[in-house]
Amino acid sequence: PAPSKPSLPAPQAGFVPVPFQAPRWQGAPAATQPFKKLSPWDRGEAYRAGCLDKRVGLHLEILDFVAYIKPTIAEGRRRENLVDVTRQITAKLWPGSELKVYGSYSTGLWLPSSDVDLVVVKCDAHPVQALHRLKKELAKFSNFGNILVIGSAKVPIIKWNDLHSGIELSVCVEMADGVANSKWVAEQAQAFPP
């Protein structure tokens, strides 16, 4: 079963609650017209009614959108489990190697639809050969599917999906630039929070 999204937070400062009144159009009484949500996080008139400044309404809707799209704890745990399984596989294939996470997941800026980017470092194999060897190991797991080695790319990678959650993972070999870049992005996100 899919995890439920958290409930929306209470309105922030600058918002004056006003009882909801459906808009009137074409002379029909407001009570006969159904309220139509424009988005899953939409509170309707709450963004417009009672706000002294339209920017406050926009700010409130942005906060609600962020709360809606924010990944759940269960989504984070599933990704951690997938990283752990991949780490065990790569450690078995290449003792002494390290599996590192980079990209949006490592910076904390990921969305539920984001993939998980990984890199194997300290691997004593040719990158494309290593990816094909990893493909053979991944194929042994029934919950992994759509396993594809893209060996002709500038940075050869292997991609696959966790069939239970739909999460996509990708691994490259000995390309640690992404780890350094992700570290910098994470530092900037901490230095300049939203």
Side-chain angles (χ1 to χ4, degrees):
S4 61
K5 292 289 180 183
S7 60
L8 297 176
Q12 303 295 314
F15 175 77
V16 179
V18 173
F20 173 72
Q21 293 180 339
R24 294 177 176 257
W25 57 88
Q26 299 177 348
T32 64
Q33 299 296 335
F35 172 67
K36 183 176 181 182
K37 290 181 82 165
L38 301 175
S39 59
W41 61 88
D42 191 7
R43 293 189 200 183
E45 290 296 309
Y47 299 126
R48 294 166 282 288
C51 289
L52 303 175
D53 186 336
K54 289 182 181 182
R55 293 175 292 183
V56 174
L58 175 61
H59 174 75
L60 292 173
E61 185 168 3
I62 290 169
L63 291 176
D64 286 348
F65 172 73
V66 170
Y68 175 80
I69 199 69
K70 182 180 176 182
T72 64
I73 293 170
E75 288 167 331
R77 285 186 184 141
R78 184 66 185 169
R79 279 172 168 71
E80 276 303 311
N81 289 340
L82 291 169
V83 170
D84 289 343
V85 168
T86 307
R87 186 170 281 123
Q88 292 170 12
I89 294 170
T90 57
K92 176 183 164 190
L93 291 174
W94 304 288
S97 68
E98 292 180 32
L99 184 73
K100 298 189 178 211
V101 182
Y102 69 98
S104 63
Y105 183 64
S106 71
T107 63
L109 300 174
W110 60 285
L111 298 173
S113 60
S114 298
D115 67 344
V116 179
D117 300 305
L118 306 163
V119 60
V120 180
V121 294
K122 300 180 185 175
C123 176
D124 59 355
H126 182 272
V128 176
Q129 292 171 346
L131 296 176
H132 282 286
R133 190 170 170 203
L134 180 55
K135 179 180 180 178
K136 287 180 184 177
E137 279 300 310
L138 292 171
K140 295 176 184 177
F141 290 80
S142 63
N143 62 309
F144 292 153
N146 305 318
I147 305 169
L148 177 65
V149 173
I150 306 172
S152 60
K154 183 177 179 182
V155 176
I157 63 167
I158 182 171
K159 299 172 81 167
W160 73 95
N161 288 24
D162 172 51
L163 298 176
H164 297 300
S165 64
I167 297 170
E168 186 175 285
L169 296 97
S170 63
V171 172
C172 62
V173 178
E174 297 297 347
M175 299 298 289
D177 293 354
V179 176
N181 294 341
S182 295
K183 181 180 176 189
W184 182 84
V185 169
E187 289 169 356
Q188 297 308 303
Q190 248 188 337
F192 304 101

